[in-house]
Amino acid sequence: LVGIGGSDILEGNKTLTLAIIWQLMRAYTLSLLSQLSSAGAPIAETEIISWANRRLLEGGKDVSIKSFQDKKNKTALPIIHLIDVIKPGVIDFSIVKQGDRISNLDCLTNAKYCITTARKIG
């Protein structure tokens, strides 16, 4: 990663440290997915995004994302809806924070709920 040094981690720069962690998680996930593909070929992010959007559309959801950097991802709503399509009825939408102006705290709450629910369904 360009522009990030060991001193940034040592000094506790949260933003740059999280950037490193995100890139490590991204690389690991893409590596894992390529191992699962039938040809063993790397899976492109665009293929993952297309798959997710296709599943959301087939499930009757009115949400889609353009990339992993899409600002909608901050709300965790695309993943929550994807979980609902994959395993209908597992999401309790009465506790999901929705709307045009979701606070950062609500986004965090959604993300925690999203991760917990994804873990429960395997």
Side-chain angles (χ1 to χ4, degrees):
L1 295 168
V2 178
I4 300 176
S7 62
D8 294 315
I9 296 170
L10 183 64
E11 292 170 5
N13 185 320
K14 290 181 182 180
T15 302
L16 296 179
T17 303
L18 287 173
I20 292 171
I21 292 170
W22 168 251
Q23 290 301 322
L24 289 171
M25 289 173 40
R26 181 180 162 274
Y28 171 75
T29 302
L30 290 174
S31 169
L32 182 64
L33 288 173
S34 70
Q35 292 173 11
L36 296 175
S37 76
S38 58
I43 295 176
E45 288 182 17
T46 55
E47 292 176 286
I48 298 168
I49 299 296
S50 294
W51 173 85
N53 285 334
R54 206 170 37 253
R55 293 296 305 261
L56 289 166
L57 183 64
E58 291 167 0
K61 302 295 182 176
D62 62 350
V63 64
S64 66
I65 57 173
K66 295 177 183 132
S67 70
F68 286 128
Q69 292 78 30
D70 194 320
K71 293 189 185 288
K72 292 178 196 172
N73 292 333
K74 177 182 176 182
T75 66
L77 291 173
I79 304 300
I80 287 172
H81 285 289
L82 188 58
I83 292 169
D84 188 54
V85 168
I86 292 169
K87 186 101 174 178
V90 74
I91 297 291
D92 180 359
F93 281 99
S94 70
I95 61 173
V96 174
K97 310 300 182 194
Q98 300 185 62
D100 293 334
R101 299 185 136 206
I102 300 176
S103 71
N104 286 338
L105 181 59
D106 288 342
C107 290
L108 179 61
T109 301
N110 281 352
K112 287 179 180 180
Y113 179 63
C114 179
I115 291 169
T116 300
T117 306
R119 285 181 178 156
K120 283 181 183 177
I121 67 169

